[in-house]
Amino acid sequence: QVQLIESGGGLVQAGDSLRLSCAASGRTSSNYAMGWFRQAPGKEREFVAGITAVGDVTEYADSVKGRFTIAKENVKNTVSLQMNSLKPEDTAVYYCAADFQLRTVVAGIVPYWGQGTQVTISS
């Protein structure tokens, strides 16, 4: 059993930065690959970034490459998403996801999801 709790969402202006955090709890949570998805109003949920359990491999959506960085933090079972040069099109609810394999996280086929945190970018 794994529980995911996101934090760090908010309202910022275009060009600003924001850092999201996802804390995973559970006896075996340290063995999980983790990732971030987002869903804007009227649109389907889309993959944003993912990272292996060890943190040696990362994947990003083309739309965020060079602007967003996902990383495993020193705090156990915590993953961050550093978002720089934010654009209005980044506005969405951001969800944390976890599973044993990065490929299933990237595909969005996971047993664990967080509750989501709202990110709003004004133009």
Side-chain angles (χ1 to χ4, degrees), residues 2-122:
V2 176
Q3 295 80 46
L4 306 176
I5 302 177
E6 304 100 328
S7 62
L11 172 63
V12 298
Q13 295 183 339
D16 286 350
S17 297
L18 203 59
R19 186 173 185 271
L20 305 183
S21 180
C22 177
S25 63
R27 183 171 59 83
T28 62
S29 60
S30 62
N31 297 325
Y32 288 87
M34 300 177 69
W36 291 93
F37 285 73
R38 66 187 182 186
Q39 186 167 23
K43 296 186 177 180
E44 296 183 355
R45 184 176 297 186
E46 65 175 348
F47 169 76
V48 176
I51 189 168
T52 57
V54 175
D56 58 334
V57 178
T58 59
E59 293 189 19
Y60 297 92
D62 289 339
S63 60
V64 306
K65 286 182 179 178
R67 299 190 298 121
F68 291 10
T69 302
I70 188 171
K72 288 292 186 75
E73 299 298 321
N74 291 331
V75 177
K76 189 176 181 180
N77 300 327
T78 300
V79 65
S80 67
L81 183 67
Q82 179 65 44
M83 305 184 294
N84 298 326
S85 302
L86 285 164
K87 306 174 181 179
E89 51 262 44
D90 293 320
T91 295
V93 175
Y94 283 69
Y95 298 90
C96 182
D99 201 0
F100 285 116
Q101 302 178 67
L102 180 58
R103 63 182 181 87
T104 56
V105 171
V106 173
I109 308 173
V110 300
Y112 306 112
W113 291 96
Q115 80 285 356
T117 184
Q118 177 70 235
V119 172
T120 302
I121 314 302
S122 63

